[in-house]
Each structure stands twice: as C-alpha cells, then as structure tokens.
Amino acid sequence: KEVIGRLRCLKAEIEDLELKERELDQQKLWLQQSIKNVMDDSINNRFSYVTYEDICNCFNGDTLLAIQAPSGTQLEVPIPEMGQNGQKKYQINLKSHSGPIHVLLINKE
Amino acid sequence: AGLTPRSALLYKFNGSPSKSLKDINNMIRQGEQR
Amino acid sequence: AQKYQDLEVDRQRRLERIKQKQSQLQELILQQIAFKNLVQAEQQANWPPPSNSIIHLLFIVNTSKKTMTDCSISNDKFDFDNTFEIHDDTEVLKQMGLARGLESGSCSAEHLKMARSLIPKALEPYVTEMSQRSISSVFVTSS
C-alpha cells in the first residue's frame, strides 16, 4: 500500500515536471524571439556597440582578438595535443558559409 | 576535416549558449593544469 | 518496485534537464537586459565615440595572458603557442556592469526594478529570483 502511494506521488511529480519543462521550452523560444526583435530594431542596431576601451577594461592586461562573424559560423577548438617540438598546440578553427569573418587585434599598447 | 566531437569542442555564432564557450575555456585550462 | 525505480530515474533526468533549461533562460534574460542597458547608455551619451574606436555586436573575444603569444592566422584557423580563453559579447557586457549585478545576485532595488521593465512580464519572477540567487525556488513556486 505504501509503495503504491509513493508511486502515485512520483507520477504526479513527473506530470508537474513535464509541464514545467514545456513551459521553459516555450519561454526560451519566446525570449529568443524577443532578443532577435530587440537586436534587429533599426535604432537599437545603431547603438549596439562597445568601444575598444570598454573591452580592454574588461580584460586588463590581456592580448585581445575580437572576432566578428555571421550567425551560424562554426567555431571549433580541438583538444590541445603535444606537438612534435614538445610544445602543446592550441588552435581555433572557424568556418563560415554566409559571409566573411573579421578579426581585430585590440591591444592597449 | 574528420574531427569527431570527442576530439574538439564546438560553438556556433548566435546559436550556441555561453556555456559552450565556458566548456571550451575549462577544457583548455584543465589541459594546462595537467 | 521496478516501476518505481524507472520513474525515479525519469524524475532525476527531468530535474537535470529543467535545471539546465532554467540556466539557459537566465542567460538569455541577462543578454536582453545587458543589451537594452547598452543601447540606453549609448543613446544618452553626450557624444558618440569616434567610428574607428568602436566594435559592433555580435563578436567574441579571445584573450591570452602572455603578451608574447605567437598567433598565426590563415584563412580558416588560428594557431597559438599558449593557452587562451574565449568570451562572447554578452560576457563583455556583463563585465561592463550592464547586467547591473543580476548575474551575481548583487542587484540593487532600483536596478532590479529597471531590469524587470526590460523583459517580457511573464519572465519577471525569474529576474526577482536571480537578484536573490535562489533560482530553485522558482520551480517550486510554479509547480
């Protein structure tokens, strides 16, 4: 009788979780559309920038590369492996099918 | 070409969550610590 | 008993997925708030910065600690001789303070009120919970 009772509670909890998950999926889609609308707005578009100084202040002392690429551009980072010269190889691969990739060196010095 | 998901981590501009970049940064950091 | 075990496993998987989806939703909320704060700040600035000193969203930033990092660039890849990190533009906006402390649960009452006005009304409970860093209670309340 006890196990049946616990089973019933568990089923009810799973139903709640299912509802919650569906709600979250809907909210995520909704918010993604909201972000797209906000970013595509012509006035917002004009002011959606940061200055080089802003970025340098966030990453104080670091060498910075800014990469701008079209939506959908794939970035791939292979797991670093030891090279033939005993040094580890660090790599970033980029692939874009819909436009050029811009790279900017941002260096305070 | 020919890299499997186990040998590289992926991120898509305007498609992947920030977490994907955090995972990449963790992978690089862990490799360095090892 | 077997059925109970199976349902328990199902429950755990669902809880894990819900936790991940809540986290993703939080990120999106921060993204919208930070972006709208950025646009507002730039609109209110007295003068726009020179056009050769700005970078438009969307972008990612690659950072290296060692300034002598050798970076060779071909048309589809970067080779580095040292470690790096990658951050998206939302991360930059958060570090500039445009998420007003929501990302770390240290948001003032005034900023919280402003943040709530920048997202769809139905998602306002998430912002309130983020400001108190108790996201798990959102799920309990909704249930």
Side-chain angles (χ1 to χ4, degrees):
Chain A
K1 211 176 176 183
E2 192 191 320
V3 171
I4 290 171
R6 275 157 55 188
L7 204 58
R8 212 174 285 141
C9 283
L10 195 50
K11 280 184 185 170
E13 196 181 342
I14 286 176
E15 269 173 32
D16 278 347
L17 289 173
E18 203 173 342
L19 273 171
K20 178 65 186 172
E21 195 172 354
R22 261 189 262 144
E23 185 187 57
L24 281 168
D25 288 337
Q26 187 56 50
Q27 286 170 340
K28 184 181 170 187
L29 280 173
W30 199 8
L31 194 49
Q32 280 172 329
Q33 187 57 49
S34 171
I35 288 171
K36 189 175 182 301
N37 293 344
V38 164
M39 287 188 167
D40 287 348
D41 175 80
S42 56
I43 296 177
N44 290 343
N45 223 292
R46 263 180 62 208
F47 294 102
S48 62
Y49 58 78
V50 297
T51 64
Y52 292 160
E53 215 171 43
D54 291 331
I55 304 181
C56 288
N57 288 340
C58 294
F59 303 103
N60 212 355
D62 290 350
T63 306
L64 303 169
L65 283 171
I67 304 165
Q68 284 176 307
S71 289
T73 299
Q74 290 166 48
L75 181 149
E76 191 176 66
V77 175
I79 295 173
E81 280 172 358
M82 203 59 79
Q84 282 176 343
N85 56 0
Q87 255 197 319
K88 260 197 179 161
K89 279 171 52 179
Y90 299 92
Q91 214 174 60
I92 298 177
N93 297 330
L94 287 163
K95 199 182 290 186
S96 160
H97 296 290
S98 51
I101 299 168
H102 298 290
V103 181
L104 303 162
L105 176 63
I106 305 167
N107 192 318
K108 271 201 294 201
E109 283 76 37
Chain B
L3 282 173
T4 65
R6 246 179 282 164
S7 57
L9 292 182
L10 306 172
Y11 168 83
K12 212 182 214 185
F13 277 67
N14 213 18
S16 297
S18 294
K19 189 178 177 298
S20 304
L21 290 178
K22 290 188 171 86
D23 290 341
I24 289 173
N25 293 337
N26 283 338
M27 172 187 75
I28 299 278
R29 210 174 297 132
Q30 279 166 16
E32 181 68 353
Q33 282 167 2
R34 258 187 253 121
Chain C
Q2 182 61 51
K3 191 170 175 70
Y4 185 88
Q5 210 171 5
D6 293 341
L7 285 178
E8 183 59 43
V9 166
D10 185 21
R11 176 181 163 273
Q12 284 303 326
R13 281 199 199 121
R14 284 175 193 271
L15 277 171
E16 201 45 55
R17 278 202 311 264
I18 284 171
K19 193 172 153 191
Q20 270 178 17
K21 289 180 180 185
Q22 280 181 327
S23 175
Q24 284 170 9
L25 199 61
Q26 269 183 302
E27 271 303 314
L28 290 171
I29 287 170
L30 286 174
Q31 187 182 354
Q32 174 145 327
I33 289 171
F35 181 83
K36 283 190 170 180
N37 278 329
L38 171 72
V39 167
Q40 259 177 27
E42 295 301 338
Q43 275 178 315
Q44 285 164 8
N46 287 333
W47 53 83
S51 59
N52 63 354
S53 71
I54 63 172
I55 173 166
H56 276 273
L57 276 49
L58 305 155
F59 60 85
I60 60 169
V61 173
N62 172 286
T63 70
S64 313
K65 289 286 173 209
K66 309 271 168 71
T67 53
M68 295 300 288
T69 297
D70 180 35
C71 173
S72 59
I73 307 177
S74 66
N75 63 352
D76 64 348
K77 68 176 176 165
F78 299 87
D79 277 309
F80 298 88
D81 68 356
N82 218 317
T83 57
F84 56 78
E85 287 187 353
I86 312 178
H87 307 278
D88 61 15
D89 42 19
T90 305
E91 184 61 31
V92 173
L93 298 188
K94 280 191 223 170
Q95 294 211 31
M96 285 168 64
L98 290 169
R100 308 293 187 228
L102 263 177
E103 71 280 13
S104 54
S106 53
C107 188
S108 69
E110 190 194 332
H111 284 147
L112 175 59
K113 193 176 166 194
M114 177 68 119
R116 285 159 64 107
S117 70
L118 297 175
I119 54 160
K121 208 166 175 53
L123 299 176
E124 282 179 20
Y126 284 102
V127 172
T128 310
E129 295 296 341
M130 277 159 71
S131 72
Q132 294 157 5
R133 293 305 281 179
S134 51
I135 190 67
S136 55
S137 65
V138 172
F139 165 71
V140 169
T141 313
S142 299
S143 289

PDB file of all heavy atoms in Angstrom, chain C residues 42-70:
ATOM      1  N   GLU C  42      24.296  54.258 -24.575  1.00  0.00           N
ATOM      2  CA  GLU C  42      24.892  54.903 -25.745  1.00  0.00           C
ATOM      3  C   GLU C  42      23.992  56.015 -26.275  1.00  0.00           C
ATOM      4  O   GLU C  42      24.479  57.042 -26.756  1.00  0.00           O
ATOM      5  CB  GLU C  42      25.164  53.863 -26.845  1.00  0.00           C
ATOM      6  CG  GLU C  42      26.201  52.806 -26.473  1.00  0.00           C
ATOM      7  CD  GLU C  42      27.555  53.377 -26.123  1.00  0.00           C
ATOM      8  OE1 GLU C  42      27.853  54.516 -26.549  1.00  0.00           O
ATOM      9  OE2 GLU C  42      28.317  52.700 -25.426  1.00  0.00           O
ATOM     10  N   GLN C  43      22.664  55.813 -26.179  1.00  0.00           N
ATOM     11  CA  GLN C  43      21.741  56.853 -26.642  1.00  0.00           C
ATOM     12  C   GLN C  43      21.851  58.098 -25.772  1.00  0.00           C
ATOM     13  O   GLN C  43      21.704  59.215 -26.254  1.00  0.00           O
ATOM     14  CB  GLN C  43      20.285  56.338 -26.590  1.00  0.00           C
ATOM     15  CG  GLN C  43      19.868  55.548 -27.813  1.00  0.00           C
ATOM     16  CD  GLN C  43      18.455  55.018 -27.711  1.00  0.00           C
ATOM     17  OE1 GLN C  43      18.053  54.480 -26.693  1.00  0.00           O
ATOM     18  NE2 GLN C  43      17.690  55.154 -28.772  1.00  0.00           N
ATOM     19  N   GLN C  44      22.099  57.867 -24.464  1.00  0.00           N
ATOM     20  CA  GLN C  44      22.140  59.000 -23.535  1.00  0.00           C
ATOM     21  C   GLN C  44      23.512  59.672 -23.493  1.00  0.00           C
ATOM     22  O   GLN C  44      23.656  60.725 -22.896  1.00  0.00           O
ATOM     23  CB  GLN C  44      21.786  58.524 -22.117  1.00  0.00           C
ATOM     24  CG  GLN C  44      20.300  58.251 -21.954  1.00  0.00           C
ATOM     25  CD  GLN C  44      19.997  57.415 -20.713  1.00  0.00           C
ATOM     26  OE1 GLN C  44      20.872  57.163 -19.897  1.00  0.00           O
ATOM     27  NE2 GLN C  44      18.764  56.973 -20.592  1.00  0.00           N
ATOM     28  N   ALA C  45      24.523  59.067 -24.109  1.00  0.00           N
ATOM     29  CA  ALA C  45      25.874  59.654 -24.073  1.00  0.00           C
ATOM     30  C   ALA C  45      25.857  61.007 -24.766  1.00  0.00           C
ATOM     31  O   ALA C  45      25.129  61.203 -25.738  1.00  0.00           O
ATOM     32  CB  ALA C  45      26.864  58.719 -24.745  1.00  0.00           C
ATOM     33  N   ASN C  46      26.696  61.911 -24.254  1.00  0.00           N
ATOM     34  CA  ASN C  46      26.706  63.266 -24.801  1.00  0.00           C
ATOM     35  C   ASN C  46      27.205  63.304 -26.234  1.00  0.00           C
ATOM     36  O   ASN C  46      26.723  64.067 -27.045  1.00  0.00           O
ATOM     37  CB  ASN C  46      27.603  64.175 -23.945  1.00  0.00           C
ATOM     38  CG  ASN C  46      26.934  64.495 -22.632  1.00  0.00           C
ATOM     39  OD1 ASN C  46      25.713  64.499 -22.558  1.00  0.00           O
ATOM     40  ND2 ASN C  46      27.708  64.750 -21.602  1.00  0.00           N
ATOM     41  N   TRP C  47      28.211  62.507 -26.525  1.00  0.00           N
ATOM     42  CA  TRP C  47      28.720  62.466 -27.889  1.00  0.00           C
ATOM     43  C   TRP C  47      29.117  61.041 -28.237  1.00  0.00           C
ATOM     44  O   TRP C  47      29.608  60.313 -27.394  1.00  0.00           O
ATOM     45  CB  TRP C  47      29.912  63.419 -28.052  1.00  0.00           C
ATOM     46  CG  TRP C  47      30.984  63.206 -27.052  1.00  0.00           C
ATOM     47  CD1 TRP C  47      31.977  62.288 -27.095  1.00  0.00           C
ATOM     48  CD2 TRP C  47      31.162  63.917 -25.821  1.00  0.00           C
ATOM     49  NE1 TRP C  47      32.768  62.385 -25.988  1.00  0.00           N
ATOM     50  CE2 TRP C  47      32.301  63.371 -25.182  1.00  0.00           C
ATOM     51  CE3 TRP C  47      30.484  64.970 -25.207  1.00  0.00           C
ATOM     52  CZ2 TRP C  47      32.757  63.842 -23.953  1.00  0.00           C
ATOM     53  CZ3 TRP C  47      30.951  65.437 -23.981  1.00  0.00           C
ATOM     54  CH2 TRP C  47      32.079  64.873 -23.369  1.00  0.00           C
ATOM     55  N   PRO C  48      28.902  60.640 -29.492  1.00  0.00           N
ATOM     56  CA  PRO C  48      29.276  59.259 -29.853  1.00  0.00           C
ATOM     57  C   PRO C  48      30.787  59.143 -29.964  1.00  0.00           C
ATOM     58  O   PRO C  48      31.456  60.117 -30.310  1.00  0.00           O
ATOM     59  CB  PRO C  48      28.597  59.061 -31.213  1.00  0.00           C
ATOM     60  CG  PRO C  48      28.446  60.423 -31.778  1.00  0.00           C
ATOM     61  CD  PRO C  48      28.315  61.373 -30.630  1.00  0.00           C
ATOM     62  N   PRO C  49      31.338  57.985 -29.671  1.00  0.00           N
ATOM     63  CA  PRO C  49      32.786  57.806 -29.808  1.00  0.00           C
ATOM     64  C   PRO C  49      33.186  57.805 -31.283  1.00  0.00           C
ATOM     65  O   PRO C  49      32.331  57.594 -32.152  1.00  0.00           O
ATOM     66  CB  PRO C  49      33.050  56.445 -29.162  1.00  0.00           C
ATOM     67  CG  PRO C  49      31.752  55.748 -29.195  1.00  0.00           C
ATOM     68  CD  PRO C  49      30.678  56.773 -29.208  1.00  0.00           C
ATOM     69  N   PRO C  50      34.469  58.071 -31.588  1.00  0.00           N
ATOM     70  CA  PRO C  50      34.907  58.037 -32.993  1.00  0.00           C
ATOM     71  C   PRO C  50      34.616  56.677 -33.610  1.00  0.00           C
ATOM     72  O   PRO C  50      34.730  55.644 -32.942  1.00  0.00           O
ATOM     73  CB  PRO C  50      36.424  58.265 -32.904  1.00  0.00           C
ATOM     74  CG  PRO C  50      36.679  58.761 -31.535  1.00  0.00           C
ATOM     75  CD  PRO C  50      35.570  58.355 -30.661  1.00  0.00           C
ATOM     76  N   SER C  51      34.245  56.680 -34.889  1.00  0.00           N
ATOM     77  CA  SER C  51      33.793  55.429 -35.520  1.00  0.00           C
ATOM     78  C   SER C  51      34.924  54.396 -35.608  1.00  0.00           C
ATOM     79  O   SER C  51      34.663  53.208 -35.703  1.00  0.00           O
ATOM     80  CB  SER C  51      33.238  55.714 -36.918  1.00  0.00           C
ATOM     81  OG  SER C  51      34.239  56.305 -37.711  1.00  0.00           O
ATOM     82  N   ASN C  52      36.202  54.849 -35.558  1.00  0.00           N
ATOM     83  CA  ASN C  52      37.285  53.862 -35.652  1.00  0.00           C
ATOM     84  C   ASN C  52      37.682  53.310 -34.280  1.00  0.00           C
ATOM     85  O   ASN C  52      38.692  52.629 -34.154  1.00  0.00           O
ATOM     86  CB  ASN C  52      38.497  54.462 -36.363  1.00  0.00           C
ATOM     87  CG  ASN C  52      39.082  55.637 -35.584  1.00  0.00           C
ATOM     88  OD1 ASN C  52      38.507  56.065 -34.574  1.00  0.00           O
ATOM     89  ND2 ASN C  52      40.204  56.152 -36.034  1.00  0.00           N
ATOM     90  N   SER C  53      36.889  53.630 -33.252  1.00  0.00           N
ATOM     91  CA  SER C  53      37.227  53.099 -31.918  1.00  0.00           C
ATOM     92  C   SER C  53      36.114  52.202 -31.373  1.00  0.00           C
ATOM     93  O   SER C  53      36.111  51.876 -30.198  1.00  0.00           O
ATOM     94  CB  SER C  53      37.475  54.243 -30.939  1.00  0.00           C
ATOM     95  OG  SER C  53      36.244  54.874 -30.639  1.00  0.00           O
ATOM     96  N   ILE C  54      35.178  51.838 -32.239  1.00  0.00           N
ATOM     97  CA  ILE C  54      34.071  51.021 -31.739  1.00  0.00           C
ATOM     98  C   ILE C  54      34.034  49.675 -32.449  1.00  0.00           C
ATOM     99  O   ILE C  54      34.560  49.516 -33.548  1.00  0.00           O
ATOM    100  CB  ILE C  54      32.693  51.717 -31.920  1.00  0.00           C
ATOM    101  CG1 ILE C  54      32.385  51.930 -33.413  1.00  0.00           C
ATOM    102  CG2 ILE C  54      32.650  53.020 -31.148  1.00  0.00           C
ATOM    103  CD1 ILE C  54      30.982  52.416 -33.653  1.00  0.00           C
ATOM    104  N   ILE C  55      33.395  48.728 -31.781  1.00  0.00           N
ATOM    105  CA  ILE C  55      33.169  47.428 -32.412  1.00  0.00           C
ATOM    106  C   ILE C  55      31.709  47.037 -32.172  1.00  0.00           C
ATOM    107  O   ILE C  55      31.224  47.080 -31.042  1.00  0.00           O
ATOM    108  CB  ILE C  55      34.169  46.371 -31.867  1.00  0.00           C
ATOM    109  CG1 ILE C  55      33.832  44.974 -32.402  1.00  0.00           C
ATOM    110  CG2 ILE C  55      34.184  46.318 -30.358  1.00  0.00           C
ATOM    111  CD1 ILE C  55      34.950  43.995 -32.185  1.00  0.00           C
ATOM    112  N   HIS C  56      31.015  46.750 -33.248  1.00  0.00           N
ATOM    113  CA  HIS C  56      29.593  46.421 -33.143  1.00  0.00           C
ATOM    114  C   HIS C  56      29.403  44.996 -32.663  1.00  0.00           C
ATOM    115  O   HIS C  56      30.180  44.103 -32.980  1.00  0.00           O
ATOM    116  CB  HIS C  56      28.920  46.585 -34.514  1.00  0.00           C
ATOM    117  CG  HIS C  56      28.510  47.996 -34.795  1.00  0.00           C
ATOM    118  ND1 HIS C  56      27.288  48.517 -34.388  1.00  0.00           N
ATOM    119  CD2 HIS C  56      29.150  48.999 -35.410  1.00  0.00           C
ATOM    120  CE1 HIS C  56      27.217  49.778 -34.757  1.00  0.00           C
ATOM    121  NE2 HIS C  56      28.321  50.101 -35.374  1.00  0.00           N
ATOM    122  N   LEU C  57      28.314  44.775 -31.865  1.00  0.00           N
ATOM    123  CA  LEU C  57      27.930  43.415 -31.527  1.00  0.00           C
ATOM    124  C   LEU C  57      27.474  42.732 -32.820  1.00  0.00           C
ATOM    125  O   LEU C  57      26.946  43.394 -33.698  1.00  0.00           O
ATOM    126  CB  LEU C  57      26.757  43.446 -30.547  1.00  0.00           C
ATOM    127  CG  LEU C  57      27.064  43.625 -29.048  1.00  0.00           C
ATOM    128  CD1 LEU C  57      27.991  44.735 -28.746  1.00  0.00           C
ATOM    129  CD2 LEU C  57      25.795  43.738 -28.264  1.00  0.00           C
ATOM    130  N   LEU C  58      27.551  41.517 -33.093  1.00  0.00           N
ATOM    131  CA  LEU C  58      27.954  40.404 -32.238  1.00  0.00           C
ATOM    132  C   LEU C  58      29.442  40.114 -32.450  1.00  0.00           C
ATOM    133  O   LEU C  58      29.921  40.214 -33.563  1.00  0.00           O
ATOM    134  CB  LEU C  58      27.171  39.129 -32.605  1.00  0.00           C
ATOM    135  CG  LEU C  58      25.670  39.284 -32.570  1.00  0.00           C
ATOM    136  CD1 LEU C  58      25.034  38.260 -33.483  1.00  0.00           C
ATOM    137  CD2 LEU C  58      25.173  39.141 -31.152  1.00  0.00           C
ATOM    138  N   PHE C  59      30.126  39.716 -31.382  1.00  0.00           N
ATOM    139  CA  PHE C  59      31.521  39.334 -31.540  1.00  0.00           C
ATOM    140  C   PHE C  59      31.912  38.416 -30.400  1.00  0.00           C
ATOM    141  O   PHE C  59      31.200  38.292 -29.412  1.00  0.00           O
ATOM    142  CB  PHE C  59      32.437  40.577 -31.554  1.00  0.00           C
ATOM    143  CG  PHE C  59      32.360  41.388 -30.290  1.00  0.00           C
ATOM    144  CD1 PHE C  59      33.125  41.064 -29.175  1.00  0.00           C
ATOM    145  CD2 PHE C  59      31.534  42.502 -30.196  1.00  0.00           C
ATOM    146  CE1 PHE C  59      33.052  41.817 -28.006  1.00  0.00           C
ATOM    147  CE2 PHE C  59      31.461  43.255 -29.036  1.00  0.00           C
ATOM    148  CZ  PHE C  59      32.221  42.909 -27.940  1.00  0.00           C
ATOM    149  N   ILE C  60      33.014  37.770 -30.569  1.00  0.00           N
ATOM    150  CA  ILE C  60      33.612  37.050 -29.447  1.00  0.00           C
ATOM    151  C   ILE C  60      35.017  37.598 -29.245  1.00  0.00           C
ATOM    152  O   ILE C  60      35.605  38.179 -30.155  1.00  0.00           O
ATOM    153  CB  ILE C  60      33.659  35.520 -29.661  1.00  0.00           C
ATOM    154  CG1 ILE C  60      34.490  35.163 -30.891  1.00  0.00           C
ATOM    155  CG2 ILE C  60      32.268  34.942 -29.753  1.00  0.00           C
ATOM    156  CD1 ILE C  60      34.796  33.679 -31.001  1.00  0.00           C
ATOM    157  N   VAL C  61      35.528  37.433 -28.059  1.00  0.00           N
ATOM    158  CA  VAL C  61      36.849  37.952 -27.738  1.00  0.00           C
ATOM    159  C   VAL C  61      37.737  36.801 -27.303  1.00  0.00           C
ATOM    160  O   VAL C  61      37.338  35.988 -26.470  1.00  0.00           O
ATOM    161  CB  VAL C  61      36.758  38.982 -26.582  1.00  0.00           C
ATOM    162  CG1 VAL C  61      38.138  39.391 -26.139  1.00  0.00           C
ATOM    163  CG2 VAL C  61      35.974  40.191 -27.021  1.00  0.00           C
ATOM    164  N   ASN C  62      38.901  36.736 -27.884  1.00  0.00           N
ATOM    165  CA  ASN C  62      39.877  35.740 -27.499  1.00  0.00           C
ATOM    166  C   ASN C  62      40.953  36.428 -26.673  1.00  0.00           C
ATOM    167  O   ASN C  62      41.496  37.447 -27.084  1.00  0.00           O
ATOM    168  CB  ASN C  62      40.479  35.135 -28.769  1.00  0.00           C
ATOM    169  CG  ASN C  62      41.635  34.218 -28.470  1.00  0.00           C
ATOM    170  OD1 ASN C  62      42.719  34.675 -28.132  1.00  0.00           O
ATOM    171  ND2 ASN C  62      41.401  32.931 -28.574  1.00  0.00           N
ATOM    172  N   THR C  63      41.228  35.907 -25.485  1.00  0.00           N
ATOM    173  CA  THR C  63      42.176  36.593 -24.615  1.00  0.00           C
ATOM    174  C   THR C  63      43.335  35.681 -24.262  1.00  0.00           C
ATOM    175  O   THR C  63      43.150  34.487 -24.010  1.00  0.00           O
ATOM    176  CB  THR C  63      41.488  37.039 -23.308  1.00  0.00           C
ATOM    177  OG1 THR C  63      41.196  35.879 -22.526  1.00  0.00           O
ATOM    178  CG2 THR C  63      40.215  37.778 -23.574  1.00  0.00           C
ATOM    179  N   SER C  64      44.508  36.229 -24.236  1.00  0.00           N
ATOM    180  CA  SER C  64      45.699  35.462 -23.840  1.00  0.00           C
ATOM    181  C   SER C  64      46.435  36.224 -22.763  1.00  0.00           C
ATOM    182  O   SER C  64      46.594  37.439 -22.851  1.00  0.00           O
ATOM    183  CB  SER C  64      46.647  35.285 -25.024  1.00  0.00           C
ATOM    184  OG  SER C  64      45.940  34.878 -26.149  1.00  0.00           O
ATOM    185  N   LYS C  65      46.886  35.501 -21.745  1.00  0.00           N
ATOM    186  CA  LYS C  65      47.575  36.154 -20.637  1.00  0.00           C
ATOM    187  C   LYS C  65      48.971  36.615 -21.027  1.00  0.00           C
ATOM    188  O   LYS C  65      49.450  37.628 -20.592  1.00  0.00           O
ATOM    189  CB  LYS C  65      47.702  35.196 -19.441  1.00  0.00           C
ATOM    190  CG  LYS C  65      46.387  34.934 -18.747  1.00  0.00           C
ATOM    191  CD  LYS C  65      45.938  36.109 -17.916  1.00  0.00           C
ATOM    192  CE  LYS C  65      44.538  35.891 -17.381  1.00  0.00           C
ATOM    193  NZ  LYS C  65      43.823  37.125 -17.190  1.00  0.00           N
ATOM    194  N   LYS C  66      49.660  35.795 -21.832  1.00  0.00           N
ATOM    195  CA  LYS C  66      51.053  36.105 -22.155  1.00  0.00           C
ATOM    196  C   LYS C  66      51.086  37.007 -23.395  1.00  0.00           C
ATOM    197  O   LYS C  66      50.657  36.606 -24.462  1.00  0.00           O
ATOM    198  CB  LYS C  66      51.833  34.817 -22.468  1.00  0.00           C
ATOM    199  CG  LYS C  66      51.705  33.727 -21.424  1.00  0.00           C
ATOM    200  CD  LYS C  66      52.765  33.865 -20.342  1.00  0.00           C
ATOM    201  CE  LYS C  66      52.503  32.980 -19.141  1.00  0.00           C
ATOM    202  NZ  LYS C  66      52.704  31.572 -19.383  1.00  0.00           N
ATOM    203  N   THR C  67      51.604  38.189 -23.224  1.00  0.00           N
ATOM    204  CA  THR C  67      51.527  39.147 -24.329  1.00  0.00           C
ATOM    205  C   THR C  67      52.406  38.743 -25.511  1.00  0.00           C
ATOM    206  O   THR C  67      52.288  39.286 -26.585  1.00  0.00           O
ATOM    207  CB  THR C  67      51.945  40.549 -23.868  1.00  0.00           C
ATOM    208  OG1 THR C  67      53.228  40.449 -23.252  1.00  0.00           O
ATOM    209  CG2 THR C  67      50.960  41.104 -22.886  1.00  0.00           C
ATOM    210  N   MET C  68      53.322  37.819 -25.311  1.00  0.00           N
ATOM    211  CA  MET C  68      54.186  37.405 -26.423  1.00  0.00           C
ATOM    212  C   MET C  68      53.605  36.206 -27.151  1.00  0.00           C
ATOM    213  O   MET C  68      54.304  35.544 -27.890  1.00  0.00           O
ATOM    214  CB  MET C  68      55.596  37.068 -25.906  1.00  0.00           C
ATOM    215  CG  MET C  68      56.307  38.260 -25.330  1.00  0.00           C
ATOM    216  SD  MET C  68      56.507  39.574 -26.541  1.00  0.00           S
ATOM    217  CE  MET C  68      57.747  38.870 -27.603  1.00  0.00           C
ATOM    218  N   THR C  69      52.318  35.891 -26.936  1.00  0.00           N
ATOM    219  CA  THR C  69      51.714  34.751 -27.616  1.00  0.00           C
ATOM    220  C   THR C  69      51.856  34.884 -29.113  1.00  0.00           C
ATOM    221  O   THR C  69      51.518  35.893 -29.699  1.00  0.00           O
ATOM    222  CB  THR C  69      50.206  34.673 -27.260  1.00  0.00           C
ATOM    223  OG1 THR C  69      50.082  34.445 -25.880  1.00  0.00           O
ATOM    224  CG2 THR C  69      49.533  33.555 -28.014  1.00  0.00           C
ATOM    225  N   ASP C  70      52.379  33.854 -29.711  1.00  0.00           N
ATOM    226  CA  ASP C  70      52.527  33.834 -31.158  1.00  0.00           C
ATOM    227  C   ASP C  70      51.222  33.355 -31.743  1.00  0.00           C
ATOM    228  O   ASP C  70      50.723  32.306 -31.392  1.00  0.00           O
ATOM    229  CB  ASP C  70      53.656  32.868 -31.532  1.00  0.00           C
ATOM    230  CG  ASP C  70      53.839  32.807 -33.033  1.00  0.00           C
ATOM    231  OD1 ASP C  70      53.655  33.855 -33.688  1.00  0.00           O
ATOM    232  OD2 ASP C  70      54.134  31.721 -33.547  1.00  0.00           O
TER     233      ASP C  70
END
